[in-house]
Amino acid sequence: MSASAPAKINLHLGVGPVRADGFHPLATVYQAIGLLDEVTVRHAPANDVTVTGQRRLDLDEIPLDARNAAVRAAMLLAERNGVEEQVAIHIDKQIPVAGGMAGGSADAAAALVACDALWGLSSPREELLELAAELGSDVPFALVGGTAIATGRGESVVPAMVLGEYWWVVVESADGLSTPAVYHEFDTVYAGQRVSQPDLPDALMEALRSHDLERLGVLLRNDLEEPAIRLRPELDDVLAGGIAAGALGALLSGSGPTCVFLCSSRTHAEQVSTVLSEGEPGAVCVVRGPVPGARVERMG
Ligand code: ATP
């Protein structure tokens, strides 16, 4: 049984002041893009997990034990449903590892729907969404897909009204960035300053409803961009390079270091991608959003 799940980008990532429990309240607009991981699950005599990937990926970073996001998802689903069968999980990755695109969360969401089908559970959608929220704040969106807004820790996701399709150029980095390190840097940047509670962006939502790409390009915003650039100054050059190549907008994806660039069409995205690919073979691709969330692709 195979299921795929998409990478996410945050068209808006508003980050509020750190709470006593260490979390930062968020107000975010997600979009699922056509960069997918595929998770295949099989009945097996013992639990097992393997990972492959053709792109420039740091597969060594991915734990092959109960810390793996897909394994955690399978174990949680089994435990809640009294399933005692063992499962072999194979993850074929396209989503950059530690790239700010929630690849681990995508694998968790794909494992949930794949194991649900393998074990014939037919869990109600609401139940899968509850398990997803327990697994991590980006997992519910990986199930829902499309374009959606989320607040708090990102766990309750509301689909958004969006017109048309959006073409993005994705530029990967050779090395990932740790999400906790970027949030820590955010706290350092704003130490002693008053950080306001994050708001959902009305103007950006209107640009999405009317498919106003020029306007959307200038409204893209990520509060983690500045701290990520402080940790990785060369990201500033990557972002500027995309705008110089003609993109309508440039954005760090989540906590980075992947950068994404909004273009007006597939052809435009391919032109921008060609410019950005010079000297960076294999690290640049063109994708469309929004795409659906995790779903079973193949049975048997
Ligand atoms: P975050 O979800 O924290 O924003 P990210 O999107 O930047 O992270 P991920 O690719 O999800 O990055 O990986 C973050 C870390 O999670 C990895 O460095 C790895 O140690 C761990 N991890 C666990 N399971 C997986 C998985 N299936 N795929 C990728 N990373 C995984």
Side-chain angles (χ1 to χ4, degrees):
M1 192 73 64
S2 293
S4 68
K8 60 85 185 164
I9 55 178
N10 304 81
L11 310 183
H12 175 95
L13 183 54
V15 180
V18 64
R19 299 191 309 214
D21 62 2
F23 278 95
H24 296 77
L26 303 179
T28 190
V29 181
Y30 288 111
Q31 184 163 95
I33 58 169
L35 197 56
L36 307 175
D37 280 0
E38 188 172 78
V39 174
T40 302
V41 296
R42 290 197 178 83
H43 298 291
N47 285 330
D48 183 37
V49 58
T50 50
V51 185
T52 51
Q54 250 111 73
R55 299 160 56 77
R56 183 208 265 186
L57 296 166
D58 213 345
L59 297 181
D60 294 349
E61 291 251 321
I62 300 176
L64 297 178
D65 53 25
R67 290 169 299 161
N68 188 292
V71 175
R72 287 178 50 231
M75 285 168 60
L76 185 65
L77 184 71
E79 179 212 309
R80 293 299 156 84
N81 289 279
V83 173
E84 287 182 359
E85 290 169 44
Q86 312 289 302
V87 63
I89 300 176
H90 179 72
I91 306 171
D92 192 27
K93 286 200 79 76
Q94 278 200 15
I95 305 174
V97 180
M101 305 189 102
S105 301
D107 298 348
L112 274 183
V113 299
C115 288
D116 187 67
L118 182 74
W119 294 329
L121 299 172
S122 302
S123 303
R125 192 77 181 153
E126 278 311 308
E127 246 169 57
L128 289 182
L129 281 167
E130 272 172 35
L131 296 184
E134 277 184 53
L135 288 163
S137 48
D138 288 330
V139 186
F141 176 70
L143 270 185
V144 172
T147 307
I149 56 176
T151 52
R153 284 170 60 174
E155 64 279 7
S156 74
V157 172
V158 181
M161 272 272 292
V162 166
L163 195 66
E165 56 184 24
Y166 298 80
W167 286 94
W168 301 94
V169 177
V170 176
V171 178
E172 287 177 35
S173 264
D175 299 304
L177 255 180
S178 142
T179 303
V182 176
Y183 274 100
H184 184 261
E185 192 63 22
F186 176 92
D187 294 337
T188 308
V189 172
Y190 293 103
Q193 296 181 41
R194 200 184 155 274
V195 178
S196 49
Q197 291 299 326
D199 284 327
L200 284 168
D202 292 339
L204 180 132
M205 298 313 294
E206 179 50 36
L208 287 168
R209 277 194 293 273
S210 56
H211 200 248
D212 185 340
L213 295 173
E214 301 270 347
R215 186 131 176 75
L216 180 62
V218 294
L219 290 170
L220 298 170
R221 174 179 147 184
N222 180 353
D223 287 349
L224 295 181
E225 206 163 279
E226 188 186 337
I229 289 171
R230 279 169 57 111
L231 293 174
R232 215 36 102 64
E234 62 270 28
L235 291 175
D236 209 14
D237 301 331
V238 179
L239 292 166
I243 296 296
L248 301 177
L251 187 68
L252 185 80
S253 177
S255 56
T258 310
C259 295
V260 296
F261 300 93
L262 178 66
C263 295
S264 55
S265 64
R266 178 184 211 144
T267 310
H268 181 216
E270 278 162 2
Q271 288 161 357
V272 171
S273 155
T274 304
V275 176
L276 290 175
S277 299
E278 283 162 18
E280 283 277 0
V284 183
C285 66
V286 170
V287 296
R288 185 177 58 83
V291 299
R295 57 182 183 179
V296 171
E297 298 284 355
R298 275 178 286 126
M299 305 227 186

